[in-house]
Amino acid sequence: MTIPHPPATRVTAALARRGRWRLPEVAFWALALAALFLLPGRYLILNEIAILALFALSLDLLLGYSGIVSLGHAAFFGLGAYTAGLLARHGVAEPVVGLFAAAGAAALVGFATSFLVLRGSDLTRIMVTIGVALVLGEIANRMAWLTGGADGLQGIVMGPVLGTFEFDLWGQTAYGYSLAVLFVLFLLARRIVHSPFGLSLCAIRDNPLRAAAVGIPVGGRLVAVYTLAAAYAGVAGALLAQTTQFVSLDVLEFHRSADVLLVLIIGGTGYLYGGIIGAVLFRLVQDELANLTPQYWYFWVGLILVVLVLVGRERVVATLAAPFAGLLRRFGRPVREA
Amino acid sequence: MLTLLFDGIAYGMVLFILSAGLSVTLGLMNFINLAHGAFAMAGGYVTVVAMNRYGVPFLAALPLAFLITAAVGLLLERTLYVRFYGRSHLDQVLFSIGLVFMAIAAVDYAMGSSQQLITLPAWLQGRVDVFGVAVGLYRSFIIAVCGVVVVVLQLILTRTRFGSRLRAAVDDQRVARGLGINVNLIFAATFAAGSGLAGLGGALGTEILGLDPTFPLKFMIYFLIVVTVGGTATITGPFLAALLLGIADVAGKYYVPEFGAFVIYTLMIVVLVLRPHGLFARAR
């Protein structure tokens, strides 16, 4: 018989408290589900938001929970997109199989490249992650016989999801499908970050040396979370490929990695909802700006970025979110002193 | 074969001029400036506008590109960059990416998205035979100009008081400040000069690198490779790295075109993983 260790029980209790579901969270997901029925005609953008949210969520696991700055996260997004697209093109019409394959492929490459980001400073990590994305982009470009090169991967035909839900013209199934995947993966991520494993990641983020000193296997944990984040990004890419039935080299490009970083920064890092809220805001703002100045909306994106960091991103987000501060805290957003 | 080597050296020289400023920013202030390419692009567009719209001769446009870009660099350093020295690398990266996006869109708006061309003066066009090797006149001109710049930079860095202060500040900023060196002033001057050099590089490179609004993103990785592989401690490190990169890129595109830029990216990753402080860095 073992007597529970007092600190251990305290930690377990604290983790359980942080991991408890709160009412606004339930309301949030109910709202997302309601959009499936209440917003006809907006399914395309809703679908894009769900995919972008999943992509940002995967980056949050890296940046928000483990402190790894990556500027090449599109590598795994694109890999997942091409994997799912190629599978569908060569006869595997079931989307869910494509998702698993994409997650597997991205996780494999993520695992292999994770050892490269373990070493070195922020700059080295940034360079290596950009480099990995560039190498993959170059491979996709050169292997035109397989990927279609600059013309993109065409002729993707998707079967119904799980054999029952046929993709329709308006994208209702697409949004429902993406939302369901996002929700399931969100649940998984939520479980992971509220586990002792997640707690150890935060410790590494805050102080790698001290984390190593208290016995956390820093290298192993980072490899694990990098692989996990890669798999998540791969699934996001697969969703894009399956719901738009098209993959182009664009999925691997630098601006996609930069965009997802911006999305996460807008929403705030380290509480999982940041990526989702950021995705909603980013897409809505992007839509408005693209209507205003179709060709040059990147200027405004750049301006938002500069202003955001100039004023201090924590402060801007905190000020804008002040009316919702109580609400956001209930989403589990970490409270920081401004 | 020798022509290829020659072209590679010219290409590498331009890359060095383009990246020299970045190595100082990174080494001195530990600032990850992804927007460095925007200054190079500015220099290129200054040349294009000056030559095509106002009929300024090529030789006069080069110093113009240097001066205007340096002024812009100084302005931005004093107003924006200076606020980011103590910040986290993530903030610096976000800020400079924002600048790049703005620069790309602004240039696109002002000049259009097409490739910009300049007409070189007649005495720089064509090739001559030197001992059976076809040598491009413009490329020899580039090598000459860049060679002079490298020698001048090296002399400034090793022989002048400003150079020794700069080296002191790079080696140990705190001690340098303690000795009464005005590190901020040195940095502002160096940043302006580095931006100016990038502008000059952009002007010289218009002909061989091409110039369109996506320039800062397209070549960002090249500047970063030069600086991280060469290390930030000396001028010679980035210089050798730039030459290697130029020769490898030109030769790679000629001999194994099916691999494209693949070789360079892979090499960069390998070097960074094995030697995180650069190929030519001193052991710390």
Side-chain angles (χ1 to χ4, degrees), chain B residues 19-96:
Chain B
S19 330
L22 186 63
S23 93
V24 177
T25 330
L26 206 58
L28 185 55
M29 287 320 222
N30 193 17
F31 188 102
I32 302 182
N33 182 15
L34 299 182
H36 192 70
F39 293 105
M41 178 172 71
Y45 274 97
V46 165
T47 317
V48 168
V49 170
M51 286 181 68
N52 294 354
R53 217 168 277 174
Y54 300 105
V56 177
F58 182 64
L59 278 188
L62 291 182
L64 205 61
F66 178 86
L67 288 176
I68 292 182
T69 323
V72 172
L74 188 64
L75 187 72
L76 282 179
E77 199 273 334
R78 284 289 94 191
T79 51
L80 293 177
Y81 277 89
V82 73
R83 296 162 199 270
F84 284 93
Y85 293 148
R87 298 276 199 92
S88 70
H89 281 148
L90 179 62
D91 278 349
Q92 299 171 352
V93 164
L94 291 169
F95 164 72
S96 49

Side-chain angles (χ1 to χ4, degrees), chain A residues 61-151:
Chain A
L61 288 174
L62 278 190
L63 185 66
Y65 285 92
S66 323
I68 300 176
V69 183
S70 167
L71 260 183
H73 211 46
F76 307 114
F77 186 84
L79 188 67
Y82 273 111
T83 308
L86 285 171
L87 264 186
R89 195 161 170 239
H90 295 102
V92 185
E94 172 56 52
V96 179
V97 176
L99 285 191
F100 278 105
L108 207 63
V109 175
F111 178 73
T113 53
S114 66
F115 296 97
L116 305 178
V117 298
L118 284 186
R119 293 187 50 168
S121 57
D122 276 349
L123 178 66
T124 322
R125 280 177 177 168
I126 290 171
M127 295 282 299
V128 168
T129 49
I130 296 179
V132 169
L134 282 172
V135 166
L136 283 185
E138 198 64 24
I139 291 176
N141 189 17
R142 295 291 152 182
M143 288 170 64
W145 53 272
L146 183 68
T147 62
D151 296 332

Side-chain angles (χ1 to χ4, degrees), chain B:
Chain B
M1 170 65 204
L2 278 175
T3 313
L4 215 61
L5 190 68
F6 191 73
D7 285 359
I9 290 175
Y11 186 38
M13 288 272 200
V14 171
L15 281 180
F16 171 72
I17 298 290
L18 283 169
S19 330
L22 186 63
S23 93
V24 177
T25 330
L26 206 58
L28 185 55
M29 287 320 222
N30 193 17
F31 188 102
I32 302 182
N33 182 15
L34 299 182
H36 192 70
F39 293 105
M41 178 172 71
Y45 274 97
V46 165
T47 317
V48 168
V49 170
M51 286 181 68
N52 294 354
R53 217 168 277 174
Y54 300 105
V56 177
F58 182 64
L59 278 188
L62 291 182
L64 205 61
F66 178 86
L67 288 176
I68 292 182
T69 323
V72 172
L74 188 64
L75 187 72
L76 282 179
E77 199 273 334
R78 284 289 94 191
T79 51
L80 293 177
Y81 277 89
V82 73
R83 296 162 199 270
F84 284 93
Y85 293 148
R87 298 276 199 92
S88 70
H89 281 148
L90 179 62
D91 278 349
Q92 299 171 352
V93 164
L94 291 169
F95 164 72
S96 49
I97 288 182
L99 274 192
V100 170
F101 282 167
M102 285 167 74
I104 290 177
V107 167
D108 196 356
Y109 177 73
M111 303 289 297
S113 59
S114 57
Q115 280 275 347
Q116 299 291 331
L117 299 171
I118 53 172
T119 320
L120 293 172
W123 54 273
L124 280 177
Q125 291 173 356
R127 289 168 176 267
V128 286
D129 252 28
V130 181
F131 305 118
V133 181
V135 170
L137 277 176
Y138 183 58
R139 286 183 165 71
S140 342
F141 174 73
I142 286 180
I143 291 181
V145 171
C146 296
V148 170
V149 170
V150 171
V151 171
V152 168
L153 277 184
Q154 181 69 16
L155 283 181
I156 290 179
L157 208 59
T158 52
R159 292 291 153 86
T160 64
R161 184 156 280 264
F162 178 81
S164 52
R165 282 184 179 147
L166 177 60
R167 276 181 297 141
V170 172
D171 272 353
D172 195 324
Q173 211 189 110
R174 282 182 60 196
V175 174
R177 277 186 206 278
L179 287 173
I181 297 175
N182 190 344
V183 175
N184 288 347
L185 185 72
I186 287 187
F187 187 64
T190 322
F191 192 92
S195 310
L197 280 180
L200 178 66
L204 284 172
T206 306
E207 180 72 14
I208 53 177
L209 303 177
L211 183 66
D212 62 50
T214 60
F215 185 90
L217 275 187
K218 222 175 353 181
F219 288 95
M220 178 181 81
I221 194 73
Y222 282 76
F223 309 145
L224 288 173
I225 291 176
V226 169
V227 172
T228 44
V229 170
T232 51
T234 54
I235 285 281
T236 36
F239 181 63
L240 290 177
L243 282 189
L244 270 180
L245 178 63
I247 295 169
D249 201 26
V250 170
K253 275 177 185 152
Y254 184 79
Y255 286 115
V256 276
E258 62 271 23
F259 284 127
F262 186 81
V263 183
I264 287 173
Y265 301 149
T266 318
L267 267 180
M268 172 195 85
I269 294 176
V270 170
V271 167
L272 280 180
V273 168
L274 296 181
R275 302 283 311 262
H277 288 293
L279 213 47
F280 308 103
R282 292 164 300 177
R284 292 200 183 224

Side-chain angles (χ1 to χ4, degrees), chain A residues 199-290:
Chain A
L199 206 58
S200 71
L201 288 180
C202 293
I204 294 171
R205 172 195 65 198
D206 293 338
N207 193 334
L209 267 182
R210 204 178 280 178
V214 298
I216 298 171
V218 173
R221 293 287 152 93
L222 289 184
V223 167
V225 75
Y226 198 79
T227 309
L228 181 74
Y232 267 56
V235 172
L239 283 179
L240 183 74
Q242 293 173 346
T243 53
T244 59
Q245 313 205 336
F246 179 69
V247 186
S248 69
L249 286 177
D250 179 66
V251 291
L252 285 162
E253 274 189 13
F254 175 77
H255 73 82
R256 204 171 272 275
S257 304
D259 280 353
V260 71
L261 192 58
L262 174 61
V263 165
L264 186 59
I265 295 303
I266 290 177
T269 56
Y271 70 114
L272 292 184
Y273 282 98
I276 304 175
I277 295 172
V280 175
L281 290 178
F282 181 81
R283 276 300 291 154
L284 293 182
V285 169
Q286 185 195 29
D287 224 35
E288 282 305 308
L289 291 178

Side-chain angles (χ1 to χ4, degrees), chain A residues 170-182:
Chain A
W170 302 272
Q172 188 173 18
T173 316
Y175 173 57
Y177 172 54
S178 298
L179 184 65
V181 173
L182 172 66

